[in-house]
Amino acid sequence: MRGTCIMRNKVAWGLTTLLGLASCIALPLLVMKTGGDSRESHSLDAVVRLDPPPVVTPSSQPKQPDIVTYWLNQEKKSEQTGHAETATAYRKRIDAYHAGLPSALPLMSSWPTNQATSTDMELYLRVPTPDQPLKPTESPLTLAKHEPASGVYIGMLGADRRVGYDVTKIEDVYGRKHALYLSYVGWRKVQTDTNTYFPARTAERVKELDGALQIGWEPRFGLDDVQDDEYVRRFAREAKASGIPIFLRYASEMNGAWVPWHGEPQKYIEKFRLIHDIMAEEAPNVAMVWSPNFWPPDTIDSYYPGDAYVDWVGFSLYSTPYSAEKEQLQGTVIDTFAPLYKRYSHKPIMISEGAVAHTYLPTNQAYWSWAESQLGYMYGHLPRLFPQVKAITYFNFSRAQAIRTNGSYVYDIGENPFMDGYYQRLIASDWFLSKVEPGVNPIPYRYTPVLTSSLPTGRQTALVYPKLVNKEGKPPFAIAIYQGDQLLGASYEAPWEIEIGVRPESASAPWYVVAYNDQMEVTAVKSGIGPIARTTAVTP
């Protein structure tokens, strides 16, 4: 049932034990120059005197407010909407920010190694996307149907409390036009208002929005009922007549036993290929999306129809606070998605249906701040770490809809005051595309992991990926990057992108990435010369 009524297993990457450095390595004392003040009031002061940054293409999106201004705005909004606890949480963040990072960070090889760390961090640097000249015998890279060269189409199922399935409201509610709109179509079901099999009325609204339609087409009577007949042919002709880009997610989540088209991989492949061939003949505007659920992963491959029949690979990808009826807050969607990406990244990938659950209905327990951080991984890190992810459609399902369908989770962004503003902040990035435009290429760079002990000189953009290895699933409050005795920069939100600058005289010094909690206590340290344990046990 579209992944909303089954338990999601979340597979957390293994905890990397933090070890002390070898005695032959002298660890420096990292001291930040504060002009006599014991706290650093602005994390970027240390790099303002470096060479000016290179010219960057101006963003097509309005400039987002800095993190403190954003928190202030959210505090005010929370007070106005009666969310007193949320307003208090934002005030605490603002106070912690103004308290500043500690003035010194002692790194000693005598630190104990038996303390649990809050996160295992990876450091990346932004590099230009390489231009690869073609050899005389090579042809240009062929993109799939409707595929952008870079960037991510933003999409949504508008089943939330405020949109109520009226896709024309999404831009006003969420602050940005979306490229994709998700609709489900029952097999052999007549759309009574238009006397069509295809959802023509929804397509008309989407066309007015200059958007595209993702259709979940579900053979509810089983695979034997899927034939080359007038129903399928007419559906295809009506899809073509819509005049908009269509992403046809036919018989999705086939790897899960909760759908009636599960259990016969060879028959599934036969029927998928049949639908592909009919669409290729009747509806050239239709891209075929093969879309398993992320769980269970061991049955996915046997259902793959073959590259010639799949335009896009889609995944249902959810983050929920419970798994197998037990609370499970550790890890993120990236942990479960990474091995799937490795197998299918030769195709453009869409998160055809994904969401973060913020309320568990059986106990009515809210996980608002946890869900906020999980959203940051889905929309902040996922596109940057996995550039073949080129569409994300949020399954925006309200509490009322979840209760009506006997669901366990509430995914509605607007029913979580932390997620509401954060989603709008995340999708404002140039990474996200508001229109389906094949070949568009707004992101001329990629991120590569730093595998050496030093950093290149000059101004550049770094990204820190903090894996959530603590049982509370709590992300860092702040992350700072140091080199030798120099603070290079800090960030207070996912995707933890930090503008840094390395002076030539510091180029040989090792780098350190440090995570802090909201008490500005160190909870994890990652070094270019090896993992480092932390000095005392503090709350993550």
Side-chain angles (χ1 to χ4, degrees):
M1 181 187 165
R2 299 192 287 278
T4 61
C5 298
I6 64 167
M7 285 295 176
R8 311 287 187 180
N9 270 340
K10 300 189 299 177
V11 181
W13 288 349
L15 170 63
T16 301
T17 305
L18 298 179
L19 302 174
L21 292 180
S23 58
C24 60
I25 300 176
L27 292 175
L29 181 68
L30 301 184
V31 181
M32 293 159 30
K33 299 178 180 179
T34 61
D37 192 352
S38 63
R39 312 290 281 187
E40 181 66 59
S41 62
H42 196 296
S43 60
L44 296 182
D45 286 347
V47 298
V48 295
R49 293 183 298 277
L50 295 170
D51 293 335
V55 176
V56 178
T57 303
S59 170
S60 61
Q61 300 303 320
K63 181 177 176 59
Q64 289 295 295
D66 63 79
I67 187 63
V68 175
T69 302
Y70 168 70
W71 286 340
L72 286 168
N73 292 339
Q74 291 302 110
E75 177 195 4
K76 182 178 180 180
K77 181 179 178 180
S78 297
E79 290 175 341
Q80 292 173 342
T81 55
H83 293 105
E85 292 183 3
T86 307
T88 299
Y90 281 119
R91 279 195 294 274
K92 288 181 178 179
R93 296 181 189 184
I94 296 166
D95 291 343
Y97 177 91
H98 286 307
L101 300 176
S103 60
L105 179 67
L107 302 178
M108 301 178 180
S109 59
S110 60
W111 285 6
T113 62
N114 60 350
Q115 302 294 348
T117 182
S118 68
T119 177
D120 179 24
M121 294 175 288
E122 295 178 355
L123 180 63
Y124 295 77
L125 287 180
R126 181 183 294 183
V127 298
T129 302
D131 293 325
Q132 298 179 344
L134 298 175
K135 298 178 182 178
T137 57
E138 292 179 332
S139 60
L141 176 65
T142 301
L143 297 174
K145 191 175 293 185
H146 307 324
E147 180 187 358
S150 66
V152 179
Y153 297 139
I154 43 174
M156 181 174 286
L157 170 72
D160 55 310
R161 183 176 57 184
R162 293 178 297 188
V163 171
Y165 291 101
D166 183 354
V167 296
T168 64
K169 295 181 179 179
I170 288 178
E171 182 175 0
D172 288 340
V173 171
Y174 293 102
R176 189 171 179 191
K177 179 183 176 296
H178 284 49
L180 285 175
Y181 303 89
L182 173 57
S183 178
Y184 292 93
V185 177
W187 190 258
R188 300 196 184 279
K189 181 179 179 180
V190 176
Q191 310 295 317
T192 55
D193 59 336
T194 56
N195 192 31
T196 61
Y197 294 131
F198 181 82
R201 186 71 68 207
T202 299
E204 289 174 3
R205 292 177 177 173
V206 169
K207 188 172 185 178
E208 292 173 359
L209 297 171
D210 199 19
L213 190 60
Q214 183 204 147
I215 297 176
W217 201 21
E218 304 181 335
R220 53 184 171 165
F221 304 120
L223 292 172
D224 288 336
D225 191 49
V226 179
Q227 303 292 333
D228 185 352
D229 57 15
E230 178 57 22
Y231 166 69
V232 175
R233 291 281 174 175
R234 181 177 162 189
F235 185 98
R237 293 193 296 268
E238 291 169 348
K240 178 183 178 181
S242 71
I244 61 175
I246 303 293
F247 294 83
L248 186 59
R249 184 162 60 115
Y250 167 74
S252 63
E253 301 190 357
M254 75 302 294
N255 58 311
W258 54 89
V259 297
W261 47 92
H262 166 77
E264 298 181 90
Q266 289 305 312
K267 183 177 288 187
Y268 175 89
I269 290 172
E270 172 192 334
K271 299 300 183 179
F272 191 99
R273 290 177 174 180
L274 172 66
I275 297 299
H276 167 276
D277 290 347
I278 293 173
M279 293 300 156
E281 181 180 340
E282 300 276 9
N285 59 321
V286 169
M288 292 295 295
V289 181
W290 176 75
S291 186
N293 194 287
F294 77 94
W295 193 265
D298 55 344
T299 61
I300 290 176
D301 295 346
S302 62
Y303 286 90
Y304 189 61
D307 288 350
Y309 298 91
V310 174
D311 295 309
W312 288 63
V313 171
F315 287 104
S316 298
L317 188 65
Y318 285 80
S319 182
T320 61
Y322 272 75
S323 177
E325 299 183 2
K326 294 182 179 180
E327 187 178 73
Q328 168 60 273
L329 303 178
Q330 188 176 3
T332 71
V333 292
I334 291 178
D335 304 332
T336 50
F337 178 72
L340 301 175
Y341 182 85
K342 185 177 181 180
R343 278 144 54 188
Y344 292 105
S345 59
H346 64 288
K347 290 284 186 178
I349 294 177
M350 66 164 55
I351 308 305
S352 47
E353 177 186 305
V356 176
H358 58 76
T359 302
Y360 184 54
L361 286 174
T363 62
N364 202 33
Q365 185 172 355
Y367 295 84
W368 283 359
S369 60
W370 174 85
E372 176 193 24
S373 67
Q374 293 288 317
L375 193 71
Y377 282 91
M378 181 175 285
Y379 282 87
H381 282 102
L382 200 71
R384 291 164 174 81
L385 297 181
F386 307 104
Q388 277 297 100
V389 173
K390 295 188 175 180
I392 302 177
T393 298
Y394 192 86
F395 189 84
N396 210 12
F397 213 60
S398 69
R399 173 188 289 267
Q401 293 285 5
I403 292 173
R404 183 181 64 82
T405 57
N406 297 317
S408 296
Y409 299 107
V410 180
Y411 300 111
D412 189 339
I413 293 170
E415 295 184 52
N416 180 342
F418 286 115
M419 289 175 65
D420 196 18
Y422 194 33
Y423 175 76
Q424 296 180 52
R425 185 170 175 84
L426 287 165
I427 65 171
S429 165
D430 280 343
W431 274 91
F432 295 100
L433 307 173
S434 292
K435 183 180 180 181
V436 171
E437 294 184 274
V440 67
N441 190 23
I443 310 298
Y445 57 84
R446 57 189 173 91
Y447 283 100
T448 59
V450 178
L451 303 176
T452 59
S453 62
S454 60
L455 296 171
T457 60
R459 296 292 295 266
Q460 54 208 303
T461 301
L463 178 145
V464 180
Y465 165 46
K467 303 176 186 178
L468 293 189
V469 297
N470 64 87
K471 292 182 179 180
E472 297 81 7
K474 193 171 184 179
F477 174 75
I479 294 178
I481 301 176
Y482 303 82
Q483 187 159 35
D485 62 355
Q486 179 72 37
L487 170 69
L488 300 184
S491 177
Y492 295 81
E493 63 177 339
W496 308 105
E497 289 177 313
I498 304 173
E499 299 297 324
I500 65 172
V502 179
R503 296 185 175 94
E505 61 269 23
S506 304
S508 61
W511 56 265
Y512 304 89
V513 179
V514 183
Y516 300 88
N517 64 15
D518 55 8
Q519 303 300 311
M520 288 306 178
E521 299 167 318
V522 175
T523 62
V525 179
K526 179 68 177 289
S527 171
I529 53 176
I532 303 173
R534 60 189 175 87
T535 178
T536 56
V538 297
T539 304

